[in-house]
Amino acid sequence: MANTDVRLQLFSGINFTNRRIVLRRGGVAVRDLGAFRFDNVLSSFRLRNVSTTDSVTLVLFSRINFQGSIRVFRGRQSVANLGSFNNLTSSLILVGRNLTNSQIQQIQSTGRPPRDILVIRQ
C-alpha cells in the first residue's frame, strides 16, 4: 500500500527548527492540529515517499475540518519557510498518491477526507 512509505516532518520554526512532529505513515487526515497542540504554528516541513518519490500529496488548510485557504504540495518537498502561509495551518491531509485538484476541492466542499486514510480528531 502506497501510504506506508510516506514520511512527513512538521516544524514550528522556519528552516526546520523548534518543535517537530513526525508522521512515518501516510494516509492521515488531521481535522484539527490542536490535537497535537500544533494549531497555527506550522512554519516548515519535509515531505517524501520513500518508495515512489513523486507519489505523495500534502494539503494544508487554514481552518479546521479541511476548510479555509489551502496550499497543496505534491512529490518530495523540503519547504524551509511557508511564507504567507506561515503559522496559518489548522488541518491537513497527507496521502501516498497524487490527489487531483478536483479531489481536493471535493474534500474542502464536503469536509470529508478520502475513505482509505486515518482521521485524527481533537
Side-chain angles (χ1 to χ4, degrees):
M1 183 174 181
N3 283 329
T4 60
D5 295 326
V6 174
R7 307 290 185 266
L8 175 64
Q9 296 179 29
L10 305 170
F11 296 88
S12 63
I14 62 170
N15 297 317
F16 319 110
T17 60
N18 298 336
R19 188 161 172 239
R20 178 179 72 153
I21 292 177
V22 178
L23 299 173
R24 295 177 193 246
R25 184 181 189 282
V28 176
V30 182
R31 286 194 172 277
D32 183 350
L33 281 166
F36 299 110
R37 295 205 261 157
F38 218 75
D39 187 30
N40 294 323
V41 299
L42 180 63
S43 296
S44 58
F45 68 86
R46 289 188 176 117
L47 170 67
R48 68 186 175 122
N49 185 328
V50 296
S51 64
T52 311
T53 57
D54 292 338
S55 295
V56 61
T57 303
L58 173 65
V59 186
L60 306 177
F61 299 86
S62 65
R63 297 182 54 211
I64 63 169
N65 295 318
F66 321 120
Q67 300 299 302
S69 300
I70 66 169
R71 295 295 182 272
V72 179
F73 301 90
R74 293 181 181 94
R76 185 180 189 129
Q77 304 263 335
S78 287
V79 177
N81 187 343
L82 283 167
S84 64
F85 215 70
N86 191 40
N87 297 330
L88 293 180
T89 304
S90 292
S91 58
L92 65 82
I93 291 180
L94 171 66
V95 295
R97 62 183 180 277
N98 290 323
L99 292 177
T100 65
N101 290 339
S102 63
Q103 288 172 314
I104 293 167
Q105 288 171 348
Q106 182 177 12
I107 291 166
Q108 194 173 23
S109 67
T110 64
R112 285 182 284 169
R115 291 183 186 189
D116 60 344
I117 64 174
L118 173 69
V119 178
I120 298 173
R121 307 176 199 293
Q122 183 168 13

